[in-house]
């Protein structure tokens, strides 16, 4: 553009951000310039920027480790499948405790629910005391362990309607297993987040991971209901 000095300064938020340059006009006034784009390209870029700001850490991909994207792909698939399975397990649990059965007692169902939650709380405390100090050193092992235990617990919950006379025992066991999953999965996720946050942005990486998982869980819940 005529009347402007060469670019004095250029800035970009990460390698994917828009490139902005600053020049001075004839009146020595600082001018901010952005790259001109077509309407369709501009709309697509704006949509892309919004989704990146919502679901990816600030400055992505330069603000995270190289394995961040591949990890998130597999973590998203795992969360999607787990949420869909969880929809079926919820149905199975409710059926197992007597929902829809005219002979079932609301008090018995309530007691079953309280006892299963209580055993889960105890399981969480005991596992954290037993293995809490080894979760950092064997992060991958415990992450895999958590997924296997979670899948096993879901399988047992799907069996509850077929063994309704043992529903209390099944639910106490599976809730305890899921409590162990919560401790192992949550603690190892903290270690993974610490590894991925290479710019001192651990809180941002953790928050955006939560946003991704929430969105995936919402979509998977709708799919699960349809199934």
């Amino acid at each position: 553009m005529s009347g402007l000095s060469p670019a004095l300064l250029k800035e970009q938020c990460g390698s994917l951000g828009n490139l902005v340059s600053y020049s001075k006009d004839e009146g020595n006034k600082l001018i901010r310039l952005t790259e001109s784009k077509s309407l369709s390209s501009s709309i697509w870029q704006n949509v892309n920027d919004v989704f990146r700001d919502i679901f990816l850490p600030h400055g992505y991909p330069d603000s995270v480790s190289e394995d961040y994207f591949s990890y998130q792909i597999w973590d998203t698939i795992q969360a999607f499948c787990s949420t869909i399975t969880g929809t079926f397990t919820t149905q199975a649990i409710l059926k197992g405790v007597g929902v829809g059965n005219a002979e079932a007692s609301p008090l018995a169902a309530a007691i079953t629910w309280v006892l299963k939650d209580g055993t889960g709380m105890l399981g969480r405390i005991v596992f954290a005391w037993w293995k809490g100090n080894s979760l950092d050193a064997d992060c991958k092992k415990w992450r895999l362990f958590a997924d296997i235990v979670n899948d096993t617990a879901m399988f047992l919950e799907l069996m509850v309607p077929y063994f309704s006379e043992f529903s209390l025992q099944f639910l106490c066991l599976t809730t305890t297993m899921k409590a162990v999953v919560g401790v192992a999965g949550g603690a190892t996720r903290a270690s993974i987040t610490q590894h991925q946050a290479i710019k001192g942005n651990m809180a941002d990486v953790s928050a955006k991971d939560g946003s991704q998982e929430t969105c995936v869980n919402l979509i998977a819940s709708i799919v699960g209901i349809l199934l």
Side-chain angles (χ1 to χ4, degrees), residues 137-216:
D138 300 312
C139 177
K140 291 182 179 179
K141 181 185 79 173
W142 287 111
R143 191 73 176 174
L144 180 61
F145 169 81
D147 280 334
I148 293 174
V149 173
N150 186 57
D151 292 341
T152 304
M154 285 185 169
F155 173 77
L156 292 175
E157 286 176 344
L158 290 173
M159 296 295 104
V160 169
Y162 302 102
F163 301 95
S164 56
E165 63 273 20
F166 301 107
S167 60
L168 176 60
Q169 292 86 339
F170 267 76
L171 293 178
C172 288
L173 174 61
T174 58
T175 304
T176 302
M177 294 170 70
K178 287 189 174 182
V180 170
V181 171
V183 175
T188 54
R189 184 67 185 108
S191 296
I192 293 172
T193 302
Q194 187 177 30
H195 157 72
Q196 293 173 336
I198 62 175
K199 298 292 185 181
N201 56 340
M202 183 173 176
D204 186 30
V205 173
S206 178
K208 295 304 171 57
D209 178 70
S211 296
Q212 294 171 25
E213 188 165 347
T214 301
C215 181
V216 170

Side-chain angles (χ1 to χ4, degrees), residues 5-187:
S5 66
L8 301 175
L9 177 68
K10 293 183 178 181
E11 66 177 1
Q12 186 177 26
C13 181
S15 58
L16 299 179
N18 293 325
L19 181 63
V20 179
S21 59
Y22 295 88
S23 301
K24 285 188 176 181
D25 60 10
E26 295 177 345
N28 206 32
K29 183 179 179 181
L30 193 64
I31 304 296
R32 183 177 186 270
L33 301 173
T34 56
E35 182 182 353
S36 60
K37 299 178 181 179
S38 64
L39 179 59
S40 59
S41 176
S42 177
I43 293 175
W44 168 251
Q45 184 64 44
N46 289 336
V47 172
N48 188 46
D49 290 344
V50 168
F51 275 91
R52 188 168 66 244
D53 290 341
I54 293 175
F55 295 111
L56 294 175
H58 185 71
Y60 173 87
D62 303 306
S63 60
V64 292
S65 59
E66 294 181 357
D67 58 359
Y68 177 85
F69 182 76
S70 58
Y71 174 87
Q72 291 304 126
I73 290 292
W74 289 108
D75 189 52
T76 297
I77 294 173
Q78 185 270 342
F80 188 82
C81 296
S82 181
T83 301
I84 290 178
T85 309
T87 304
F88 292 110
T89 60
T90 300
Q91 182 186 32
I93 290 172
L94 293 175
K95 186 176 180 181
V97 298
V99 174
N101 184 358
E103 297 179 357
S105 166
L107 178 60
I111 292 175
T112 299
W113 210 265
V114 171
L115 288 176
K116 86 176 185 63
D117 286 348
T119 54
M121 295 174 191
L122 290 175
R124 178 184 294 271
I125 294 171
V126 171
F127 183 76
W129 162 73
W130 181 37
K131 289 294 183 180
N133 61 349
S134 65
L135 296 176
D136 286 303
D138 300 312
C139 177
K140 291 182 179 179
K141 181 185 79 173
W142 287 111
R143 191 73 176 174
L144 180 61
F145 169 81
D147 280 334
I148 293 174
V149 173
N150 186 57
D151 292 341
T152 304
M154 285 185 169
F155 173 77
L156 292 175
E157 286 176 344
L158 290 173
M159 296 295 104
V160 169
Y162 302 102
F163 301 95
S164 56
E165 63 273 20
F166 301 107
S167 60
L168 176 60
Q169 292 86 339
F170 267 76
L171 293 178
C172 288
L173 174 61
T174 58
T175 304
T176 302
M177 294 170 70
K178 287 189 174 182
V180 170
V181 171
V183 175

